[in-house]
Amino acid sequence: MILIVDDIPENVFSLKKVLEHHGFAVDSAFSGEEALKKILTRSYILVILDVQMPGIDGFEVAENIKGYKKAKDTAIIFLSANSTDTNLIIQGYKQGARDYITKPVDTNILLLKVKSLYELYESRQATTKQQLEISALYEKEKELNLLLSKKVEILEDSLRLAKIAGWEHNVDTQQTYASPEAYHLLDLNPEKDAFNLDLILASLKPEDRKRLMGSNDKATFEFALLYAGANGQEKQLKYFIRVDENDGQKKIKGVVQEVGLNSAGL
């Protein structure tokens, strides 16, 4: 909404008629005091403000508007009958005016300036809305990541309690990834010992190694064995190993589980 402030009613009514004809919502005030009261209770996109008014003049009104948090984004266009006093114009801009128009008002120029300020306001509002949406998405992402982190933590704790760990070996790149629990089950030091496919193969029987490495895509194997850790203590382990080929890459994926004596099948 636009607020027109002028102590001469004829000026207010003529501008109001023009702006309303072009689709703008317009309010009016006939003194600086009345304008300030309205600005305290309503939100205005633009204030068209006469400079020279009795009582509180336009400059004082503008200065007060700058102090209102609610009106900090309200644009001001000053109207002045004096077109030659540059000091008035400079003072107007110092008081926060977005533009300055001299009387008698050229309505075509006024409409161009009003439309420009409205477009700027709408652009700023769209940007603010977008920033709020991005901020909301960011907060949602943080919540989801926190929830996912908690779920991963719970899953890792569950696997640790069940003494289950996973690993994956890329045959083409010869890179192997193993979960922290895999190192623990095999009594390895993550900072010193390497977890790789050779380590797994070395613990298998020769015929099982040959069967595994010669297997086709989607083949799954289960091996039960005794494993002697670094401390010399034997563990009964089960390996569940699967061979996958996707996009020309061959991967060997495995799960290792420490089992009880009776369930090891040995």
Side-chain angles (χ1 to χ4, degrees), residues 83-114:
S83 61
T84 59
D85 192 339
T86 56
N87 289 327
L88 284 178
I89 297 174
I90 292 171
Q91 187 178 353
Y93 283 115
K94 284 183 177 180
Q95 293 298 337
R98 293 291 179 85
D99 221 318
Y100 205 106
I101 297 178
T102 57
K103 296 178 181 180
V105 176
D106 185 324
T107 54
N108 290 322
I109 292 177
L110 177 64
L111 283 170
L112 286 173
K113 293 179 182 294
V114 170

Side-chain angles (χ1 to χ4, degrees), residues 6-22:
D6 197 317
D7 62 306
I8 301 176
E10 292 80 1
N11 292 341
V12 173
F13 295 143
S14 62
L15 292 179
K16 188 172 188 240
K17 184 177 179 180
V18 170
L19 292 170
E20 287 180 339
H21 178 71
H22 286 83

Side-chain angles (χ1 to χ4, degrees), residues 221-233:
F221 302 90
E222 178 180 339
F223 305 109
L225 54 97
L226 283 173
Y227 177 82
N231 57 7
Q233 183 179 0

Side-chain angles (χ1 to χ4, degrees), residues 180-199:
E181 186 63 16
Y183 284 86
H184 175 71
L185 289 179
L186 298 181
D187 294 328
L188 301 175
N189 185 332
E191 297 180 359
K192 298 179 180 180
D193 302 322
F195 189 109
N196 51 42
L197 184 62
D198 292 337
L199 182 71

Side-chain angles (χ1 to χ4, degrees), residues 136-150:
L137 287 173
Y138 175 71
E139 291 300 321
K140 188 65 177 178
E141 184 181 8
K142 281 174 59 178
E143 290 178 9
L144 291 174
N145 286 338
L146 181 60
L147 180 60
L148 178 61
S149 177
K150 290 292 184 184

